[in-house]
Amino acid sequence: MTNTIDFTKSFESVKSLMEMQAATITKSVELQKKAGEDLAAFFKTEAEKAKELKTPEDVVKFNVEANTTLFELLKAQGEAFTELAKSASEEAMAEVSKLAK
């Protein structure tokens, strides 16, 4: 009893997984670049706003608003990375499931 092994299917699955990895890494790098640019823009804008502060109350209000904005920005960035990880994982699992069939 001999079974022939279809290496083509395995080869194509590995190729597909590697392509998914490359695409995910590219998307991750793009997200990191965007995150860095967004943070730089945020700090630049906030530095300009800080120049206009006159009173201690202005400083406190500015600090609260700036920190709230920063945390919302970081939250959005985290959600973007989480979504990328989730979708990449789902794609990879779908491809691996094909191998099991």
Side-chain angles (χ1 to χ4, degrees):
M1 227 165 117
T2 59
N3 293 335
T4 56
I5 299 172
D6 184 4
F7 286 110
T8 306
K9 182 179 176 183
S10 297
F11 222 38
E12 292 195 14
S13 293
V14 169
K15 179 182 173 195
S16 178
L17 286 170
M18 290 178 72
E19 288 170 352
M20 277 190 271
Q21 283 179 321
T24 300
I25 290 168
T26 299
K27 289 175 188 173
S28 176
V29 169
E30 289 168 359
L31 279 175
Q32 290 174 37
K33 180 181 176 195
K34 182 180 180 321
E37 290 169 350
D38 290 349
L39 284 171
F42 166 80
F43 285 115
K44 183 178 179 181
T45 300
E46 296 307 302
E48 290 300 316
K49 288 180 189 177
K51 292 178 183 178
E52 306 299 319
L53 302 176
K54 305 280 187 237
T55 66
E57 291 82 12
D58 291 343
V59 172
V60 170
K61 182 179 177 188
F62 166 79
N63 196 7
V64 169
E65 290 173 357
N67 282 320
T68 300
T69 303
L70 176 60
F71 289 124
E72 288 298 320
L73 176 62
L74 294 173
K75 178 183 172 190
Q77 291 175 347
E79 290 169 349
F81 279 102
T82 298
E83 181 56 36
L84 173 61
K86 182 180 173 187
S87 65
S89 174
E90 289 170 353
E91 284 181 56
M93 289 308 297
E95 187 64 31
V96 170
S97 293
K98 287 183 201 175
L99 279 174
K101 293 180 180 179

